[in-house]
Amino acid sequence: MPSASDVLLRPKIMARAMLFCVLLSCTIIHPVSSFLPIIRAPSCINQKTISVRPSNRPRAPPATSFGGWVQGSDGEWAWEEDDPTSSAAIATCALTSESIDAQATPTLPAGQFRPKQSLGQNYLRDGNTVAKIVKAFVRDATTTLRVTKGGGEDVEGGDNKDLNRNDLRAVELGPGAGALTDVLLPALGPDNLQCIEIDDRSVELLNDKHPTLRVRHEDVLQVDYPALADEEGGPLSIIGNLPYYITSQILFALADASHTDSVRSATVTMQWEVGRRIVAPTRTKDYGILSVVFQLYADCSIHFKIPPTVFYPQPKVDSALIGLHFLGPARLRTRLAGVDPSNLRGVVTSTFQQRRKTVRNGLKPLAMTVFGGDKERVKEFLDGGPSPLPRSVVEARAAGDEFALAQALPDDWAKKRPEELTPGQFVEITRMLYGPSDSKGGVNESQLSNKVWRKLKHGTN
């Protein structure tokens, strides 16, 4: 007679035996190799394989998808669904922002044109958002035109019926399927709009749709803005839905282009967090290098937040439309007051690379290099008080200039953290470390035309 314990254990033993048989049969029928895609996939990504029925023809490697992106046999990642929208954009032909209107956005040709992940493509697909972006662009571009023509006097608003649309010289960066282009082209005309696009599919699509449109097949990171401005006859007005992963480098290229007055304004989309950094005030976690550079070089504003739902495919974060009104070389020289922007870059980069440390600790290695390892001079620089402000800055402060009013350094400036100092105060620290770039206290033409913020491998100027 079996014992009581044997009776109780027998069902468990049988269940384990049955489970072992099932697993063994699955292993025989489905080799381990069939499970490798699942083993390779990170746990945070939903990965699947597309199976094909047995055939006598050679089988292509299975395509793999990550959250909607499909990898083809050529290794390129493309969005797996076609754009579900079907209407084309409609716009009225006028320059003022009040008359810009759009009812829908263009579609991508079914089965032929899918956004590429490698190019950071997220296309606009909402007509109202397109119209708002174009209206903001018109305001930004015409406002900077009025400021230039008014001799530097700031003017409220942006629209002026007397302005000539030929003066805008609009350049769209990365038009893609043409959501913005379809509205801009009727309003500006083919002589006043030029597009820069790296994707040959987009170039072909735009040329077929708009035969008179000028499209440059070029990497936006390699654009020579001074040369392009010379070709167009003056400063450019930039608009674009920028890829997230190269936004900062595009912006730095535009800042350098403003040295030669090649770019007047920029109205561009970007990740919401990047937009917040550009306009961030001091003493906030968003304040950093982007804040210092663009609050020095331009008047910056966030036009509005853009939700993910207006893009195809939808990104996982919000976006922002940013307006940049570049000061131009004359006003920039006034703010720099003799400081070489290349030296300013070294100061700003050194301090924000160690933003949790004091300015003293962040600048010490750079000061050692500038002073040739002379520790006494380094100590004198870091322990000393602020230098007197240049006469041009004193005059600007007397006239009520907001930038100049925030330019004086506190006595304990070296004990501050980077996020506590204004862009103007970084200019003064640079002057104390390097001195003015010339005896007259002004920056000459050649220094401003140099590549400063842009990477050396990007573009020829």
Side-chain angles (χ1 to χ4, degrees):
M1 289 290 293
S3 63
S5 59
D6 292 338
V7 173
L8 293 175
L9 290 175
R10 188 174 298 169
K12 294 182 179 181
I13 296 173
M14 293 178 64
R16 290 176 181 175
M18 292 176 64
L19 179 59
F20 175 79
C21 293
V22 171
L23 292 175
L24 181 61
S25 64
C26 290
T27 304
I28 295 172
I29 298 173
H30 303 285
V32 174
S33 60
S34 66
F35 295 97
L36 288 179
I38 299 177
I39 295 172
R40 295 192 193 103
S43 60
C44 60
I45 298 176
N46 179 21
Q47 187 180 42
K48 60 185 179 181
T49 57
I50 301 176
S51 59
V52 182
R53 291 185 178 180
S55 171
N56 294 330
R57 292 177 296 179
R59 296 181 60 183
T64 308
S65 67
F66 287 167
W69 293 97
V70 175
Q71 186 179 32
S73 57
D74 60 353
E76 181 64 66
W77 292 89
W79 190 249
E80 65 178 339
E81 299 173 355
D82 290 325
D83 187 355
T85 59
S86 59
S87 302
I90 301 174
T92 56
C93 301
L95 178 63
T96 58
S97 63
E98 285 83 357
S99 57
I100 298 293
D101 187 24
Q103 296 182 358
T105 55
T107 60
L108 304 181
Q112 304 176 22
F113 199 120
R114 292 176 178 174
K116 289 185 177 180
Q117 190 182 47
S118 61
L119 298 179
Q121 293 175 334
N122 296 92
Y123 296 127
L124 287 162
R125 53 176 290 182
D126 177 71
N128 291 329
T129 303
V130 169
K132 288 173 65 178
I133 292 173
V134 174
K135 288 179 181 180
F137 165 72
V138 172
R139 286 194 298 270
D140 288 336
T142 54
T143 296
T144 52
L145 272 177
R146 295 180 70 183
V147 170
T148 302
K149 291 187 175 183
E153 180 183 357
D154 195 8
V155 183
E156 293 295 330
D159 291 327
N160 188 332
K161 295 180 180 179
D162 297 329
L163 288 175
N164 188 344
R165 66 181 182 178
N166 295 334
D167 294 333
L168 290 184
R169 291 179 283 272
V171 175
E172 183 182 359
L173 305 181
L180 295 172
T181 314
D182 292 346
V183 180
L184 288 167
L185 187 59
L188 301 178
D191 294 335
N192 308 303
L193 174 64
Q194 187 168 182
C195 298
I196 299 173
E197 177 59 62
I198 191 174
D199 190 347
D200 52 0
R201 303 172 307 161
S202 296
V203 173
E204 182 179 357
L205 175 66
L206 292 171
N207 284 332
D208 290 343
K209 187 165 35 172
H210 303 297
T212 61
L213 178 66
R214 294 177 296 158
V215 184
R216 298 170 69 103
H217 191 188
E218 186 177 2
D219 184 350
V220 69
L221 293 177
Q222 304 300 330
V223 175
D224 186 339
Y225 290 101
L228 183 57
D230 288 342
E231 293 175 9
E232 295 299 298
L236 309 172
S237 303
I238 306 296
I239 181 174
N241 173 28
L242 305 184
Y244 286 162
Y245 74 105
I246 56 173
T247 295
S248 296
Q249 292 308 314
I250 293 175
L251 295 177
F252 285 139
L254 298 180
D256 278 352
S258 73
H259 290 170
T260 54
D261 203 23
S262 301
V263 172
R264 178 189 292 113
S265 69
T267 309
V268 290
T269 65
M270 63 190 67
Q271 190 172 343
W272 174 251
E273 295 299 325
V274 177
R276 286 180 55 181
R277 291 173 195 162
I278 289 177
V279 301
T282 56
R283 300 176 184 273
T284 62
K285 66 177 182 178
D286 291 324
Y287 187 79
I289 294 177
L290 287 175
S291 316
V292 173
V293 173
F294 289 98
Q295 291 176 31
L296 169 64
Y297 274 67
D299 296 326
C300 316
S301 62
I302 294 182
H303 287 302
F304 52 86
K305 180 184 283 190
I306 307 175
T309 52
V310 306
F311 292 98
Y312 165 75
Q314 294 184 20
K316 296 182 179 180
V317 295
D318 290 323
S319 301
L321 183 69
I322 299 295
L324 301 173
H325 299 177
F326 289 100
L327 303 180
R331 292 179 64 194
L332 181 59
R333 286 192 191 93
T334 301
R335 286 190 173 183
L336 290 170
V339 168
D340 188 331
S342 297
N343 295 336
L344 175 65
R345 175 180 177 171
V347 170
V348 173
T349 303
S350 296
T351 52
F352 276 103
Q353 280 180 343
Q354 304 180 71
R355 63 179 298 144
R356 293 190 177 184
K357 295 184 177 181
T358 63
V359 174
R360 176 190 183 91
N361 291 334
L363 275 183
K364 191 173 182 179
L366 178 62
M368 288 291 289
T369 301
V370 173
F371 293 126
D374 190 333
K375 295 182 179 180
E376 289 300 322
R377 293 185 64 188
V378 172
K379 186 177 186 302
E380 181 182 352
F381 163 67
L382 294 174
D383 292 343
S387 300
L389 294 173
R391 185 175 64 180
S392 60
V393 176
V394 173
E395 293 173 352
R397 288 166 65 90
D401 182 89
E402 291 185 6
F403 186 89
L405 289 172
Q407 198 157 341
L409 283 168
D411 292 338
D412 60 344
W413 63 270
K415 297 180 181 178
K416 302 289 186 181
R417 290 190 176 183
E419 64 268 20
E420 297 181 87
L421 300 178
T422 67
Q425 288 171 335
F426 276 103
V427 171
E428 291 309 305
I429 293 175
T430 307
R431 188 193 324 281
M432 291 170 56
L433 180 59
Y434 289 95
S437 58
D438 59 41
S439 58
K440 297 180 181 179
V443 180
N444 59 44
E445 295 284 345
S446 61
Q447 288 168 327
L448 274 185
S449 63
N450 290 339
K451 184 185 294 186
V452 176
W453 304 100
R454 197 178 192 181
K455 289 184 176 181
L456 293 176
K457 65 179 181 179
H458 292 162
T460 57
N461 199 330

